[in-house]
Amino acid sequence: MLTSRTFVKRTRAGAVVKVVREHYLRDDIACGAAACRLCPPAPPGTGAGSAPGLEARPSGPASSLCPGPHFLLPDTNLLLHQIDILEDPVIKNVIVLQTVLQEVRNRSAPVYKRIRDVIQNKEKHFYSFTNEHHRETYIEQNRGETANDRNDRAIRVAVKWYNEHLKKIEDEEKIQVIFLTNDRINKEKALEEGITAYTCEEYIKSLTANPELVDRLACVSDEGKEIEGGKIIFPEHIPLSKLQQGIKSGIYLQGTYRANRENYLEATVWVHGDAEENKEIIVQGLKHLNRAIHEDVVAVELLAKDEWVAPSSVVLQDDGQNEENIENEEEKENILKTSVSKDMLRPTGRVVGIIKRNWRPYCGMLSKSQIKEARRHLFTPADRRIPRIRIETRQADTLEGQRIIVAIDGWPRNSRYPNGHFVKNLGSAGDKETETEVLLLEHDVPHQAFSQAVLSFLPKMPWSITEEDMKHREDLRHLTVCSVDPPGCTDIDDALHCREIGNGNLEVGVHIADVSHFIRPGNALDEESVKRGTTVYLCEKRIDMVPELLSSNLCSLRSNVDRLAFSCIWEMNHKAEILKTRFTKSVINSKASLTYAEAQMRIDSASMNDDITTSLRGLNKLAKILKKKRIDKGALTLASPEVRFHMDSETHDPIDLQTKELKETNSMVEEFMLLANISVAQKIYDEFPEFALLRKHPAPPPSNYDILVKAAKSKNLEIKTDSAKALAESLDKAESPTFPYLNTLLRILTTRCMMQAVYFCSGMDNDFHHYGLASPIYTHFTSPIRRYADIIVHRLLAVAIGADSTYPELTDKHKLAEMCKNLNYRHKMAQYAQRASVAFHTQLFFKTKGVVNEDAYILFVRKNAVVVLIPKYGLEGTVFFEEKDKPTPKLEYNSEVPSLTVEDTTLHMFDKVKVNIMLDDSNIQHQKMRIVLVEPKILGNDTHASLSAEASSKEEPEKKKKKLRK
């Protein structure tokens, strides 16, 4: 049956147009109940996807409200707010209407994804019913009826139809459909129409065998309903419609709210748009922060200039136990108001409303209430930028000392903290598995097992190269190709070869795994890979971007097996000048998988002269010339101490910690990877000037170098920063015969002055330069097993050489720019997760060591502390001179030198000192390395002895300390 739907929509130009669409109604849509013989069987892949639909005998939990067999049918708001309940394994046999799914999709992409995943889960028996296309459940919108009211009515019509329909099933025990809604008016209307309806809370509390589910109920009172008798603390949020008008007229500014990790009473709002002034707005004080949470999109109102403040240098952690003591907060706010010079003042504002909440589930620990038998407790998130959250739970005794996940439900005006609900217990704090899970969740690293839908797109085993695969491919299996990687590497992306050709020149090839052959655009495997963006390497775990069959087998360029590759082949003379470049899809057979040490040994060995060794020597010789050319152009050679843990084979605990030693072969491989990336970047840009995916490294603003220039000057050295070449040359000259490590320290410090390198789309930007590599153009082509950007670059290159066909998204610069944004975010989070993993394993290592005495160098000087680097462990930490409950020593800070005088001892940047290192686990959630200065000895500073006794008496390990990347 054909009907039509009419609706109005606004065009980009602002005009309102009427749209009429054909709408098909059918009577062959199945109800999904396994016991139903009236409906035609659902064809595979419809309704609930591959899930089996509703059970013939619903096996859900026993309910005291409805003891008979029943299915549940939730409305939109219930699904949006109570998704944690619906995901629980206890809840089964739920009908999800098309009306509800469409509304959820429009209102929350994350919840929509979660409900789709639940529908796909065969064990849950959720069924997606297409009520908008069913002849008996489709309804027209009445005149004067809002879209919302029409949808509510459509849901009630579907519940009624189900109950009538299921009565016709010949079974001694009738199945009932229960309507779940938290909307009071909708519930009243349902009851008037004879529908059995309950709120989510009523139904969950009736499941007497599952009292733990009550903890997972979202507290939906939110902004509207305040806690009984609570005093109003915060100003009201302005409604969204008024905020949008205010932003348009310039009264308010829209931006992203970034909470301050060090000070819970201060935040920064990064204003959206291109305006140069008021890009960053400071917000200070509880009332001005007005219930905004880190990463929310907010509207701020600028304060008058005489109310502007300077960023505070005070460290304030929210550790008060009395949650409603607002006077105490006001006292703390006064600490922030120190007198500062006018040029320190920054634009300051207050949050007037929330445009978009960006809440996520938070990991942390329960701070159990002191009141006996209390159900209300505070939860302290692991991320210090998130406020504490009030939750209700009956399991406080069980959850104490555990890492748990909590979701925020809302933040009433009269509550010091937001309300939330318990979601999941992750395990004991300090346990290695638990802490790794926390680390991945907190850094938003997708790490769930690959779904069946994703795995279904993998090649069937046993796999072999077919004639079809050989089309558009060169057979290079005869070449002496080999790979050089770190020990234990199984995801081998790249292999190399070098041989002399007839005319006396050299042929050099970089062969990269042809991942884009296996991952085709737009399928589930491709979508999962782009979502992950990158492989994440933790200390003893790898979170793959692509399934293991590809990463460690079919795509990995292992030795003595045929593998598909994408090859970049140059003809060079012996001066490493490129005479010809060509790109081709190929088949290779690597003759050896070597480690850096093995390759180095072959190059250095006088007795080895086989083809592989000859190839390596040729590559190494050319790499040295290429490196010299690059450095002459102004490429930077920077340093960052990287550490490697040696694990106990049984306990997997770190038993040794060493900084990595780089060999000549590391540099050899790097040179050819850089050359391939530059060659490919130029090719794809020439072919696709508007939509090449490139990588740039912006030059740092001159002020970034101030600290480096001052530090070098204090050691009578001059660092020039007017260009990358000047910087590279002055770093090479900055040597001290009496202090050989000084040059490494200067290079480490230079790394800290740099900007982040980012992916971008060539059609959306005009600055392509890569500052660190001194290259006018650059991209990533050489690691497609572990970086999604490289897969896109492979696809572009394949189209450029006619080896593959294009597809619409590949030539859409707006979609590419959006993808680059996600890839930049994923790479940044992967880096932070890797650092956190190194920090956690460092803490595990020091846990059993007691107090360790080591040499260190001062990297930075602060007003009340110094940051030191301990080269032996690649460990960085802060030595504080102000201690709680201890007399503060006399401190004098000189920002010009920079130096810090503590009592009568002056400490400069790069000074060599002796420190004691120990684990401070007094705060189980935020455990840290405690570093105390031993030499030079500061009068009255004998704290290290007492500290070491305290630190070595504790037990639980923890994570969370910023440290250099592994």
Side-chain angles (χ1 to χ4, degrees):
M1 177 181 157
L2 186 63
T3 179
S4 62
R5 294 183 71 181
T6 308
F7 56 92
V8 291
K9 74 171 193 177
R10 194 179 290 276
T11 64
R12 278 187 178 175
V16 174
V17 292
K18 186 175 179 180
V19 180
V20 180
R21 284 226 178 113
E22 287 184 340
H23 190 76
Y24 289 88
L25 298 181
R26 299 165 55 169
D27 44 22
D28 60 348
I29 296 170
C31 70
C36 180
R37 301 285 171 269
L38 305 169
C39 293
T46 62
S50 57
L54 306 159
E55 290 178 296
R57 314 280 311 153
S59 64
S63 162
S64 57
L65 285 174
C66 33
H70 57 271
F71 300 142
L72 300 173
L73 195 152
D75 70 0
T76 308
N77 279 331
L78 193 128
L79 204 148
L80 279 167
H81 296 298
Q82 305 292 355
I83 183 71
D84 287 325
I85 289 277
L86 294 172
E87 282 178 329
D88 195 283
V90 168
I91 303 297
K92 294 179 179 178
N93 293 295
V94 175
I95 300 160
V96 183
L97 297 180
Q98 180 189 3
T99 311
V100 170
L101 263 183
Q102 283 171 344
E103 278 197 281
V104 168
R105 186 180 195 166
N106 292 336
R107 286 168 62 181
S108 171
V111 174
Y112 178 72
K113 171 153 190 344
R114 286 168 72 180
I115 195 65
R116 294 296 316 175
D117 289 346
V118 175
I119 292 169
Q120 294 293 336
N121 181 346
K122 291 183 168 69
E123 287 159 20
K124 291 280 286 169
H125 297 284
F126 273 48
Y127 182 71
S128 166
F129 178 61
T130 320
N131 64 309
E132 294 290 353
H133 288 277
H134 194 291
R135 195 198 291 263
E136 293 180 47
T137 56
Y138 172 71
I139 60 162
E140 296 278 357
Q141 187 171 346
N142 293 333
R143 190 179 287 277
E145 187 178 39
T146 65
N148 207 23
D149 287 346
R150 180 259 169 211
N151 287 347
D152 284 348
R153 187 161 61 86
I155 296 168
R156 295 196 301 275
V157 165
V159 180
K160 266 207 281 202
W161 176 83
Y162 256 106
N163 276 319
E164 291 300 317
H165 179 75
L166 294 175
K167 276 180 193 166
K168 296 171 189 167
I169 297 174
E170 291 170 13
D171 200 345
E172 62 274 10
E173 217 173 351
K174 296 294 175 216
I175 299 171
Q176 193 182 6
V177 173
I178 289 168
F179 179 38
L180 294 183
T181 177
N182 282 340
D183 182 320
R184 187 175 51 81
I185 295 167
N186 205 3
K187 186 186 169 193
E188 282 169 7
K189 283 185 178 171
L191 293 171
E192 280 167 22
E193 293 169 20
I195 296 168
T196 307
Y198 298 112
T199 64
C200 191
E201 194 172 338
E202 287 167 345
Y203 180 75
I204 294 302
K205 285 184 174 172
S206 78
L207 307 179
T208 44
N210 302 89
E212 76 287 348
L213 271 180
V214 176
D215 283 1
R216 300 188 74 176
L217 276 169
C219 167
V220 283
S221 55
D222 206 47
E223 322 266 324
K225 187 177 151 199
E226 315 297 353
I227 303 160
E228 312 78 47
K231 175 185 165 192
I232 298 291
I233 302 168
F234 297 102
E236 199 164 347
H237 283 154
I238 293 168
L240 194 57
S241 55
K242 284 192 178 167
L243 287 180
Q244 284 163 338
Q245 287 168 9
I247 290 163
K248 236 179 189 174
S249 61
I251 303 169
Y252 308 133
L253 296 167
Q254 174 176 329
T256 303
Y257 178 93
R258 301 268 160 83
N260 184 331
R261 202 186 293 275
E262 303 297 326
N263 182 346
Y264 74 101
L265 290 174
E266 182 173 285
T268 307
V269 173
W270 289 80
V271 177
H272 301 167
D274 303 322
E276 278 308 303
E277 56 168 2
N278 302 338
K279 198 81 192 133
E280 253 181 84
I281 295 171
I282 290 177
V283 184
Q284 264 187 15
L286 214 54
K287 287 185 171 61
H288 285 174
L289 297 174
N290 197 5
R291 298 169 286 158
I293 290 172
H294 184 63
E295 291 295 346
D296 283 349
V297 178
V298 299
V300 285
E301 180 179 48
L302 269 181
L303 300 177
K305 280 201 171 174
D306 58 358
E307 292 183 71
W308 285 12
V309 297
S312 93
S313 54
V314 185
V315 175
L316 278 181
Q317 304 294 354
D318 180 13
D319 49 11
Q321 279 302 314
N322 183 353
E323 55 178 275
E324 306 303 346
N325 185 355
I326 299 305
E327 288 73 20
N328 184 25
E329 305 294 355
E330 284 162 11
E331 243 171 71
K332 285 186 181 175
E333 283 176 28
N334 289 333
I335 300 172
L336 304 180
K337 298 182 174 80
T338 49
S339 56
V340 283
S341 63
K342 271 206 166 148
D343 56 352
M344 296 285 284
L345 299 176
R346 297 283 177 272
T348 308
R350 64 188 187 94
V351 174
V352 292
I354 309 291
I355 292 159
K356 183 173 184 278
R357 288 289 195 191
N358 272 326
W359 297 338
R360 59 179 176 84
Y362 300 102
C363 299
M365 295 180 75
L366 196 69
S367 308
K368 201 174 148 207
S369 168
Q370 304 300 311
I371 305 161
K372 213 178 172 197
E373 301 296 315
R375 281 193 194 170
R376 276 181 159 179
H377 307 272
L378 279 180
F379 161 84
T380 307
D383 187 340
R384 288 189 186 274
R385 294 168 301 189
I386 307 299
R388 294 197 287 171
I389 302 163
R390 187 195 286 106
I391 67 167
E392 282 194 34
T393 176
R394 302 150 189 248
Q395 311 173 59
D397 291 339
T398 318
L399 298 179
E400 211 175 2
Q402 302 286 299
R403 288 285 204 169
I404 64 172
I405 297 179
V406 161
I408 297 179
D409 300 322
W411 195 340
R413 286 175 61 201
N414 59 358
S415 168
R416 170 66 187 83
Y417 296 111
N419 294 327
H421 64 275
F422 166 77
V423 175
K424 188 179 178 187
N425 183 357
L426 295 172
S428 298
D431 171 74
K432 205 185 316 177
E433 287 300 308
T434 306
E435 294 305 333
T436 302
E437 179 73 6
V438 169
L439 186 153
L440 292 168
L441 288 167
E442 282 299 291
H443 292 95
D444 193 16
V445 174
H447 60 287
Q448 65 284 12
F450 289 100
S451 70
Q452 277 311 116
V454 168
L455 298 175
S456 70
F457 286 97
L458 292 175
K460 303 291 172 271
M461 296 302 284
W463 173 84
S464 61
I465 296 169
T466 63
E467 269 183 47
E468 186 61 31
D469 295 336
M470 290 307 293
K471 280 184 186 171
H472 309 297
R473 255 178 223 283
E474 271 187 56
D475 191 340
L476 303 179
R477 285 177 281 200
H478 59 285
L479 293 176
T480 307
V481 171
C482 68
S483 61
V484 185
D485 289 284
C489 176
T490 60
D491 51 345
I492 302 171
D493 284 291
D494 53 90
L496 300 152
H497 89 272
C498 173
R499 65 172 181 167
E500 201 159 307
I501 47 180
N503 58 9
N505 289 331
L506 297 166
E507 178 190 84
V508 177
V510 164
H511 311 276
I512 305 300
D514 188 4
V515 182
S516 64
H517 172 84
F518 296 96
I519 299 181
R520 302 310 295 164
N523 68 24
L525 176 56
D526 186 45
E527 283 174 2
E528 182 65 27
S529 306
V530 70
K531 187 181 97 179
R532 293 182 180 224
T534 177
T535 291
V536 181
Y537 295 89
L538 304 181
C539 289
E540 48 173 334
K541 193 175 188 175
R542 190 179 83 200
I543 313 295
D544 280 325
M545 178 183 85
V546 298
E548 196 178 8
L549 178 67
L550 295 183
S551 67
S552 296
N553 187 349
L554 301 186
C555 291
S556 185
L557 304 181
R558 304 189 303 192
S559 53
N560 305 313
V561 285
D562 292 350
R563 286 291 176 258
L564 301 180
F566 210 147
S567 301
C568 172
I569 299 168
W570 303 278
E571 185 180 326
M572 290 182 181
N573 60 23
H574 288 267
K575 294 182 195 163
E577 291 164 341
I578 297 171
L579 309 170
K580 282 185 199 158
T581 306
R582 67 188 184 89
F583 306 98
T584 177
K585 290 238 178 178
S586 61
V587 179
I588 63 163
N589 186 304
S590 169
K591 304 299 179 272
S593 303
L594 306 172
T595 64
Y596 291 116
E598 287 166 349
Q600 192 66 55
M601 192 184 72
R602 278 175 177 263
I603 291 168
D604 298 340
S605 163
S607 61
M608 294 185 85
N609 288 302
D610 58 280
D611 288 352
I612 294 168
T613 307
T614 308
S615 176
L616 286 169
R617 286 191 185 126
L619 290 164
N620 198 37
K621 191 175 149 212
L622 291 169
K624 286 177 180 173
I625 304 170
L626 288 168
K627 186 170 186 176
K628 186 179 181 309
K629 282 186 190 173
R630 220 164 42 78
I631 287 168
D632 289 347
K633 271 196 208 161
L636 298 171
T637 311
L638 302 179
S640 64
E642 296 197 11
V643 295
R644 163 160 285 146
F645 292 92
H646 294 272
M647 301 292 183
D648 183 296
S649 57
E650 285 180 19
T651 64
H652 294 287
D653 283 343
I655 46 177
D656 196 11
L657 177 56
Q658 293 172 336
T659 45
K660 286 185 190 171
E661 182 195 346
L662 295 180
K663 300 201 173 334
E664 213 175 62
T665 44
N666 289 72
S667 176
M668 175 188 86
V669 172
E670 185 187 10
E671 283 311 313
F672 286 107
M673 295 308 116
L674 294 175
L675 190 62
N677 286 335
I678 292 166
S679 298
V680 170
Q682 195 59 59
K683 175 72 177 173
I684 62 171
Y685 177 62
D686 290 346
E687 204 72 31
F688 307 114
E690 282 295 295
F691 33 80
L693 191 155
L694 302 174
R695 187 166 176 82
K696 67 172 179 176
H697 183 215
S703 59
N704 277 29
Y705 288 126
D706 288 353
I707 188 83
L708 175 70
V709 173
K710 283 178 187 173
K713 197 176 164 191
S714 72
K715 298 291 179 204
N716 299 318
L717 296 168
E718 186 187 12
I719 297 285
K720 292 181 177 167
T721 61
D722 36 340
S723 71
K725 187 166 172 57
L727 174 63
E729 284 172 356
S730 55
L731 279 171
D732 287 342
K733 288 178 193 157
E735 297 281 357
S736 164
T738 56
F739 187 0
Y741 197 67
L742 176 63
N743 191 264
T744 306
L745 287 170
L746 284 166
R747 289 181 195 276
I748 290 170
L749 194 54
T750 308
T751 309
R752 306 302 168 84
C753 302
M754 292 296 146
M755 306 291 282
Q756 191 79 38
V758 288
Y759 296 113
F760 69 101
C761 172
S762 59
M764 306 288 278
D765 210 318
N766 45 23
D767 170 25
F768 293 9
H769 192 75
H770 196 295
Y771 180 80
L773 297 172
S775 176
I777 193 164
Y778 192 65
T779 193
H780 272 162
F781 163 76
T782 55
S783 294
I785 296 178
R786 59 188 177 88
R787 289 189 305 232
Y788 189 81
D790 302 53
I791 294 179
I792 295 293
V793 169
H794 276 228
R795 288 175 183 167
L796 287 164
L797 184 61
V799 175
I801 64 167
D804 206 342
S805 51
T806 185
Y807 58 99
E809 285 77 11
L810 193 64
T811 53
D812 181 331
K813 63 182 183 182
H814 297 283
K815 287 215 167 113
L816 274 174
E818 202 52 43
M819 183 191 291
C820 288
K821 197 172 151 189
N822 172 56
L823 293 176
N824 290 330
Y825 168 73
R826 289 288 176 213
H827 277 262
K828 185 174 74 178
M829 294 319 270
Q831 211 173 348
Y832 290 163
Q834 280 153 227
R835 286 180 195 169
S837 177
V838 171
F840 174 60
H841 280 79
T842 304
Q843 290 165 1
L844 280 183
F845 172 72
F846 281 102
K847 182 188 172 191
T848 55
K849 295 281 177 286
V851 181
V852 177
N853 184 270
E854 273 305 332
D855 287 342
Y857 294 96
I858 295 175
L859 258 191
F860 298 102
V861 177
R862 304 274 186 245
K863 285 180 182 172
N864 61 348
V866 291
V867 178
V868 297
L869 173 75
I870 300 141
K872 182 177 175 183
Y873 299 121
L875 175 65
E876 197 180 306
T878 307
V879 177
F880 289 100
F881 296 107
E882 292 176 326
E883 300 256 354
K884 239 183 184 178
D885 313 321
K886 296 249 170 77
T888 303
K890 191 173 82 174
L891 299 171
E892 263 180 64
Y893 174 68
N894 182 337
S895 62
E896 281 311 302
V897 177
S899 70
L900 177 69
T901 304
V902 188
E903 295 296 343
D904 299 322
T905 307
T906 302
L907 303 168
H908 298 89
M909 282 178 76
F910 304 151
D911 280 0
K912 187 174 182 180
V913 294
K914 273 231 183 276
V915 293
N916 276 349
I917 317 159
M918 64 217 77
L919 181 66
D920 174 7
D921 51 12
S922 51
N923 178 340
I924 187 172
Q925 171 131 287
H926 295 114
Q927 200 168 318
K928 55 182 180 282
M929 299 308 304
R930 191 73 168 263
I931 300 173
V932 178
L933 197 64
V934 179
E935 280 174 35
K937 187 160 173 50
I938 289 164
L939 294 172
N941 185 24
D942 56 351
T943 52
H944 65 267
S946 60
L947 281 171
S948 60
E950 174 197 328
S952 53
S953 70
K954 307 281 184 198
E955 278 307 326
E956 284 87 358
E958 236 307 327
K959 77 164 192 44
K960 280 279 183 215
K961 187 189 126 299
K962 277 218 163 177
K963 221 195 95 262
L964 292 168
R965 187 178 169 191
K966 175 178 172 285

